[in-house]
Amino acid sequence: MAQAKIQAKMNEAPCSKFSRTLSMADRSGLLLESLDQLETRVEALREAASAMEQERESILEMIQSIQNSQEMRNICAGEREELTLTANRLMGRTLAVEVSVGTIRNSQQEEALRKATSMIDEIVKKLLNDMDGGRRRLQALHAACVTEAPPVPIDQKFQAVVIGCALEDQKKIKRRLETLLRNVENAEKNIKIMDHQKLEDPQANGSK
């Protein structure tokens, strides 16, 4: 009887070992599946955060555009004060929203981002002194960031620098340049409007 039990256990042993091996494989597969699902959620989270970041930038730009618009200057002082208070309140509430999507970079990408940022900053510093020339240089930098053939010359040096940046940084650089170009365009429009009004104002010309 005892010999029969020992024989039965010997027969069960390989089966038990085989079952444990399958169980470990199943567990590994489940863990891998869970990680795959989490990776999808992480990417969705980063995309959603990036979209919120862009929305924040867009709202701030629109508020600033309204604050600096010619329409704001053309209304009476009382209404302008009320609208300015509202715009400032919205600006404050928008700035209170903090959204940040970090980018993992290697040392080469860090250096490329530093160079690209420095090149843009140099142009921005000179914008007030030479807006037309600054706009053309910004257009050349932006042309280096687009895939389709641009209608303006490309800054080849800047393009080589941007290619060395992380993909997320490339997108942010392009968005920054687009924002700067819109700001320059709006500033030029306001200057033309103000200059036109000055020419039309007889007192401004010294005539009566």
Side-chain angles (χ1 to χ4, degrees):
M1 184 70 176
Q3 187 175 359
K5 288 183 178 180
I6 293 173
Q7 185 66 38
K9 287 183 177 180
M10 290 177 63
N11 292 335
E12 287 175 2
C15 294
S16 299
K17 185 177 179 181
F18 186 64
S19 297
R20 283 197 299 272
T21 303
L22 278 179
S23 178
M24 290 194 316
D26 289 342
R27 288 175 187 174
S28 178
L30 288 172
L31 290 172
L32 181 59
E33 184 179 348
S34 295
L35 288 173
D36 286 341
Q37 292 174 355
L38 285 171
E39 183 173 15
T40 301
R41 291 177 62 182
V42 167
E43 289 307 311
L45 173 65
R46 290 179 64 85
E47 289 177 7
S50 180
M52 290 178 64
E53 196 175 39
Q54 293 179 50
E55 176 67 5
R56 180 180 184 273
E57 293 173 2
S58 177
I59 290 173
L60 289 173
E61 184 181 349
M62 291 175 69
I63 294 173
Q64 290 173 339
S65 177
I66 291 173
Q67 288 175 323
N68 300 325
S69 67
Q70 185 61 31
E71 289 81 0
M72 186 69 87
R73 299 188 186 93
N74 289 338
I75 59 179
C76 68
E79 291 180 341
R80 182 165 56 250
E81 182 180 2
E82 183 178 348
L83 292 174
T84 298
L85 288 172
T86 300
N88 289 339
R89 177 176 60 81
L90 292 174
M91 178 74 75
R93 286 175 61 81
T94 306
L95 289 172
V97 177
E98 297 183 1
V99 184
S100 178
V101 182
T103 302
I104 300 174
R105 311 178 185 92
N106 57 36
S107 58
Q108 290 85 2
Q109 291 171 333
E110 288 276 4
E111 180 63 16
L113 177 61
R114 186 192 65 77
K115 287 181 180 179
T117 302
S118 177
M119 292 173 75
I120 298 173
D121 290 344
E122 269 309 304
I123 298 175
V124 172
K125 288 178 185 177
K126 301 174 183 177
L127 267 177
L128 290 177
N129 296 327
D130 184 12
M131 191 167 292
D132 187 54
R135 175 175 50 77
R136 287 197 298 269
R137 290 191 65 193
L138 287 174
Q139 286 175 333
L141 298 192
H142 181 262
C145 300
V146 297
T147 53
E148 63 274 7
V152 296
I154 297 175
D155 189 313
Q156 302 287 348
K157 182 179 178 181
F158 184 74
Q159 187 177 54
V161 171
V162 172
I163 289 174
C165 294
L167 183 59
E168 291 180 353
D169 288 330
Q170 292 180 23
K171 294 177 181 178
K172 289 182 179 180
I173 289 170
K174 182 185 175 191
R175 289 206 307 270
R176 183 188 178 192
L177 290 169
E178 289 170 348
T179 299
L180 286 169
L181 284 169
R182 283 195 299 270
N183 289 342
V184 170
E185 183 181 356
N186 291 333
E188 287 178 331
K189 286 180 180 178
N190 287 333
I191 290 173
K192 288 179 181 178
I193 291 173
M194 293 173 66
D195 187 57
H196 182 68
Q197 288 180 338
K198 183 178 179 181
L199 291 173
E200 287 185 339
D201 187 351
Q203 293 183 351
N205 293 327
S207 59
K208 297 181 180 180

